[in-house]
Amino acid sequence: MSGPVQPYPMSAPVPLPQHYGMPYQAMPAPYPILRTSGLCVAGMVVGILALLGFWIPFGDVLMGLLAIGLSWAGVTQSARPGFTGRGMGIAGLVCGILATIPALVLMVLFLSFGFALL
């Protein structure tokens, strides 16, 4: 008995081609890391809160103006490379403007009735 039987006859190993002159394939550039603008998020949150509390006479005017300012700064920041959140900034602008208009009207009515009672 001579040893284990091999299913295929052994042949000489085939040499692999040598590619010393070929450079490696270029690595693809990584995706840029995008950050959501915190100013856009803050402007949208304050704008939504201003919409919910439009009946508060003085506080809502301040919240609406704060939402407009934060959202405007956020939209400006999101235009720079590496930042996202432009849609949230625009939503904060719209919410801030829509909350400020009735808040100003209610504040004028509140002050006029307040002075009428004096």
Side-chain angles (χ1 to χ4, degrees):
M1 210 156 187
S2 67
V5 178
Q6 294 189 5
Y8 300 104
M10 299 230 358
S11 62
V14 178
L16 295 175
Q18 300 294 326
H19 296 287
Y20 292 115
M22 284 183 76
Y24 289 105
Q25 184 179 5
M27 295 294 291
Y31 290 109
I33 298 174
L34 298 176
R35 296 181 296 177
T36 303
S37 172
L39 293 171
C40 288
V41 174
M44 187 179 69
V45 169
V46 174
I48 291 171
L49 290 175
L51 271 178
L52 293 176
F54 74 92
W55 48 272
I56 302 170
F58 298 103
D60 190 58
V61 174
L62 293 175
M63 282 197 316
L65 293 176
L66 183 64
I68 291 170
L70 285 172
S71 298
W72 187 270
V75 168
T76 304
Q77 185 183 33
S78 68
R80 294 190 323 208
F83 284 96
T84 62
R86 188 174 183 88
M88 286 188 283
I90 292 172
L93 272 172
V94 170
C95 289
I97 291 169
L98 289 178
T100 304
I101 293 170
L104 286 172
V105 170
L106 286 176
M107 190 173 75
V108 167
L109 289 174
F110 179 76
L111 290 175
S112 65
F113 285 126
F115 287 130
L117 293 175
L118 289 177

